[in-house]
Amino acid sequence: MRPEELILVSVDDHLIEPPDLFDEHLPARFRDRAPRVVRQDDGSDVWKFNGTTIPNIGLNAVAGRPPEEYGVEPTAFDEMRPGCYDAAERIKDMNAGGVLASMNFPSFPGFSGRVFAACEDKELALAVVRAYNDWHIDEWAGSHPGRFIPMALPVLWDPDLAAEEVRRVAAKGCRSLTFTENPATLGYPSFHDPHWDPLWRALSDEGVVMSVHLGSSGQLSVTAADAPVDVMITLQPMNICQAAADLLWSRVLKEFPDIRIALSEGGTGWIPYFLDRLDRTYVMHHKWTGQDFGGRLPSEVFRQHFLTCFISDPVGVQLREQIGLENIAWECDYPHSDSSWPNAAEELGAVMAGVPDRDVNLMTYENALRWYQFDPFTHRPREQSTVGALRAEAAGHDVSVRSYDKGRFERSAGANLAELRASATA
Amino acid sequence: MRPEELILVSVDDHLIEPPDLFDEHLPARFRDRAPRVVRQDDGSDVWKFNGTTIPNIGLNAVAGRPPEEYGVEPTAFDEMRPGCYDAAERIKDMNAGGVLASMNFPSFPGFSGRVFAACEDKELALAVVRAYNDWHIDEWAGSHPGRFIPMALPVLWDPDLAAEEVRRVAAKGCRSLTFTENPATLGYPSFHDPHWDPLWRALSDEGVVMSVHLGSSGQLSVTAADAPVDVMITLQPMNICQAAADLLWSRVLKEFPDIRIALSEGGTGWIPYFLDRLDRTYVMHHKWTGQDFGGRLPSEVFRQHFLTCFISDPVGVQLREQIGLENIAWECDYPHSDSSWPNAAEELGAVMAGVPDRDVNLMTYENALRWYQFDPFTHRPREQSTVGALRAEAAGHDVSVRSYDKGRFERSAGANLAELRASATA
């Protein structure tokens, strides 16, 4: 299949929250305490909420920059492409990239909304989570039907309220909850604690996928403070195997057989090894560990419950049958530095060379649509949904590489993690 | 190739230190402070050294037990096969398993000798490390020429002394140093610190391989205290990707181009994904991270420096060309519970079905012999070194499954990690 013929649905992109996000959606009595954007003396923009400052509003939102200017930049809205924070502009960028539909993870609240959960005033925290979800579902996604797979933030501090919020957003058509890879590292009960059962029940009842993004445990794969940043970049995706193993062996899948989990930005090429390892662990050890999947192997259980995804993963494509043809989706990762936007279709096309059309379609869009119960074709005919058709609509939209550098990026060039962190909060 | 025709050299097995280890090798003035085995009131044996007690002398040394009795047992010498701690008995077990040669990691000192390094009296600590190495090289390995690839413990607390010890043991023919996956987690400078340069220089000069075993950082892959132990078992091997990435991107490989590293018990099936990820990280990010391998890709650098190994890894065998045919060795993992001893040859033969003999031989013994500069065939002709030939010599040796249970193993059945740890120190 030629790149222009592909249909691309991305299950992992990122939005940068615009400053007016809470203006319309937070009840009036909370508005003076709403999260707000403040410009700092050094020209950077930060979010302020609950007495804390969250810098790096566009952490790694480098789409359209030259690679020399990647890193933890940019730190201000005027250092980013508008497509990062403006849905109409995002649609233009998606068209230019040939991307039909996209699921957008949050930025400043953290992937699991832990910035909101940290607020001691739980009435305010709940109002903020709901306002965020309403904005995301009704405004960001709602303004462009068929283009954004809606995603909700969780109520992290209360499983009953979390369940209630899942049911509330599901009624609005949202079938994706962003959640943490590991609640234990955030100070909550682990996946092995019945604490979370109301949430699992709501996800199961409503057919909402728990999308766990790498880094959502609040812990990066950091080997040492003075390690080159390349170490962390390399290790992030595969690190999600910890969440996969933690959930696979947990009581959650056994007691909630309808629950489904997406390993977001986790890559795929390591999965066949992982499945073999799961099965060997079961065969060698279950007689003393007591694991019991009712006669099934863990690899079968994995394929029932987990969706994986890749940006460009030749080994994953090569081993797609061993992963599970129904278990692989594509992601663009716009606007982060691992994305090949606007040329992702060409990168993907090269990786898919020689793969039968049926398999390509499953991986590039059909699995994503089925897992998230999302149908863009009620809004746009399939034949107008290809990379080629979307790009034709984007004619004239400027996607040339542009330097947004205002002198800050040198801070991160060649840095190790400790230096990057210092620069990120400078 | 039929299982009986295989030649098996294992680059990862374990020995349980016998109580008399230090009797002959520690200078007389240190003997009253030598590590010693003490039988506890509950029937367990422990090592005592430097005011601390190290329980679980045979942690997971379950070879020959029924799977129902795996776990953190056994805790006494009379609960183990003598092959765990007696070299002559080990040879019988190796013959019965068809294993020509074996490299044995330490047990109670920790994989990187951190129990010895913790001793404040550094004169004593150094004497103990040297005594251990002399025992291992001269007695354990030396008593059976051509059967044990000798391995030395490091002097962890002083890079100059570490270098000196490497040169000392190399002169005795030892070409393997067990080392930690991550010195930073043990409180030492990281791999990125020039602190270790004398050690890297000695390893390079002497052609000694740094063998980093999973778990040698002192950190297990633990997701939560109440996670089922299956989670940890599943994750351990692949977790070594952290050490691989940490070293790959470090200055060590750039400044010491002759250094070689073995990822012990790390598995192989995930390596092709990992190499793609390394290369993509380089291509996408090197312009801001400043990485420079002199025009080579990280995957090429990996194949120059790293040896991988597997117990039984169908995906690794399938993808052997993508890993590097010269970069894969086999391991038995005797006497731990991941081992298939005495039937490892049959398990391996099934995984190698259809693989050309040339490739099989590289993976089952030739790579191991080349990397560790070990030649068993000066002691035993090649045609008497096959699984079939060795097993013929073991005729009559009892390898039937035997219950050693004295009522302790129930403590670990179905336990989570917190419970296992409590039982391990009970």
Side-chain angles (χ1 to χ4, degrees), chain A residues 69-355:
Chain A
E69 293 181 25
Y70 286 5
V72 294
E73 301 303 321
T75 53
F77 283 95
D78 56 9
E79 295 179 326
M80 284 183 265
R81 287 186 68 81
C84 296
Y85 51 83
D86 179 309
E89 289 293 322
R90 173 66 69 97
I91 293 291
K92 293 180 195 167
D93 281 355
M94 287 164 62
N95 288 347
V99 177
L100 171 62
S102 160
M103 190 169 80
N104 294 153
F105 282 85
S107 292
F108 92 85
F111 290 132
S112 55
R114 62 187 156 79
V115 165
F116 300 154
C119 178
E120 299 76 17
D121 180 344
K122 293 308 182 198
E123 201 190 6
L124 172 62
L126 184 61
V128 167
V129 170
R130 286 182 175 160
Y132 188 104
N133 289 342
D134 287 341
W135 169 82
H136 184 127
I137 298 165
D138 300 337
E139 198 165 327
W140 178 271
S143 61
H144 300 276
R147 300 305 298 271
F148 294 110
I149 299 172
M151 157 168 274
L153 282 172
V155 179
L156 205 51
W157 62 90
D158 184 315
D160 289 310
L161 291 174
E164 192 178 300
E165 182 66 1
V166 163
R167 295 183 199 277
R168 190 183 77 85
V169 300
K172 292 151 79 83
C174 176
R175 295 280 179 268
S176 178
L177 181 78
T178 174
F179 202 67
T180 174
E181 290 167 302
N182 190 346
T185 60
L186 296 177
Y188 297 100
S190 80
F191 284 133
H192 312 285
D193 195 296
H195 170 86
W196 297 104
D197 283 0
L199 176 58
W200 309 147
R201 194 165 296 116
L203 292 170
S204 300
D205 290 349
E206 305 292 338
V208 173
V209 176
M210 177 164 78
S211 304
V212 296
H213 194 285
L214 67 81
S216 57
S217 64
Q219 289 188 329
L220 294 172
S221 279
V222 174
T223 54
D226 57 347
V229 66
D230 317 77
V231 177
M232 185 270 286
I233 297 171
T234 302
L235 293 173
Q236 286 319 304
M238 206 161 65
N239 193 40
I240 214 164
C241 68
Q242 301 209 11
D246 208 24
L247 283 159
L248 191 287
W249 294 113
S250 75
R251 55 185 283 286
V252 180
L253 307 196
K254 301 181 181 88
E255 304 203 8
F256 299 90
D258 293 328
I259 208 159
R260 290 173 306 143
I261 300 142
L263 303 174
S264 305
E265 206 169 337
T268 53
W270 54 273
I271 300 277
Y273 164 83
F274 181 75
L275 297 181
D276 276 355
R277 179 72 192 161
L278 287 172
D279 287 351
R280 193 170 195 278
T281 298
Y282 174 80
V283 170
M284 301 286 285
H285 298 283
H286 79 277
K287 284 193 179 170
W288 70 274
T289 69
Q291 284 288 345
D292 182 0
F293 295 104
R296 294 190 303 164
L297 284 171
S299 56
E300 298 173 71
V301 176
F302 180 91
R303 292 192 188 94
Q304 179 190 342
H305 291 281
F306 288 89
L307 178 67
T308 68
C309 67
F310 62 69
I311 299 174
S312 166
D313 191 342
V315 179
V317 172
Q318 175 187 356
L319 304 182
R320 61 192 181 277
E321 304 259 11
Q322 288 160 260
I323 296 166
L325 264 173
E326 317 269 319
N327 297 83
I328 305 172
W330 176 75
E331 61 155 309
C332 186
D333 201 29
Y334 177 103
H336 286 179
S337 58
D338 258 6
S339 177
S340 295
W341 179 89
N343 304 312
E346 282 68 27
E347 186 184 28
L348 187 62
V351 169
M352 294 287 191
V355 176

Side-chain angles (χ1 to χ4, degrees), chain A residues 67-68 70-71 182 184 190 192-193 221 223-224 226-231 233-235 237-238 241-242 245-246 249 266-270 272-274 276-278 280-281 284-285 287-289 291 311-315 318-319 322 337-340 347 412-414 420, chain B residues 67-68 70-71 182 184 190 192-193 221 223-224 226-231 233-235 237-238 241-242 245-246 249 266-270 272-274 276-278 280-281 284-285 287-289 291 311-315 318-319 322 337-340 347 412-414 420:
Chain A
E68 293 82 352
Y70 286 5
N182 190 346
S190 80
H192 312 285
D193 195 296
S221 279
T223 54
D226 57 347
V229 66
D230 317 77
V231 177
I233 297 171
T234 302
L235 293 173
M238 206 161 65
C241 68
Q242 301 209 11
D246 208 24
W249 294 113
T268 53
W270 54 273
Y273 164 83
F274 181 75
D276 276 355
R277 179 72 192 161
L278 287 172
R280 193 170 195 278
T281 298
M284 301 286 285
H285 298 283
K287 284 193 179 170
W288 70 274
T289 69
Q291 284 288 345
I311 299 174
S312 166
D313 191 342
V315 179
Q318 175 187 356
L319 304 182
Q322 288 160 260
S337 58
D338 258 6
S339 177
S340 295
E347 186 184 28
S412 56
L420 271 185
Chain B
E68 293 82 353
Y70 287 4
N182 190 348
S190 80
H192 311 285
D193 195 297
S221 279
T223 54
D226 57 347
V229 66
D230 317 77
V231 178
I233 297 171
T234 302
L235 293 173
M238 206 161 64
C241 69
Q242 302 209 11
D246 209 24
W249 294 113
T268 54
W270 54 273
Y273 165 83
F274 180 75
D276 276 355
R277 179 73 191 160
L278 286 173
R280 194 170 196 279
T281 297
M284 301 286 284
H285 297 283
K287 284 194 180 170
W288 70 273
T289 69
Q291 284 288 344
I311 299 172
S312 167
D313 190 343
V315 179
Q318 176 187 355
L319 303 182
Q322 288 158 261
S337 58
D338 258 7
S339 178
S340 295
E347 187 185 27
S412 57
L420 271 184

Side-chain angles (χ1 to χ4, degrees), chain B residues 6 20 59 65 81 102 113 137 150 154 158 178 197 242 256 265 271 305 308 340 363-364 390 414:
Chain B
L6 294 170
D20 63 355
L59 180 66
R65 288 185 172 223
R81 287 186 69 82
S102 160
I137 298 164
D158 184 315
T178 174
D197 283 1
Q242 302 209 11
F256 298 91
E265 206 169 336
I271 300 277
H305 291 281
T308 67
S340 295
M363 293 187 278
T364 62
L390 290 163

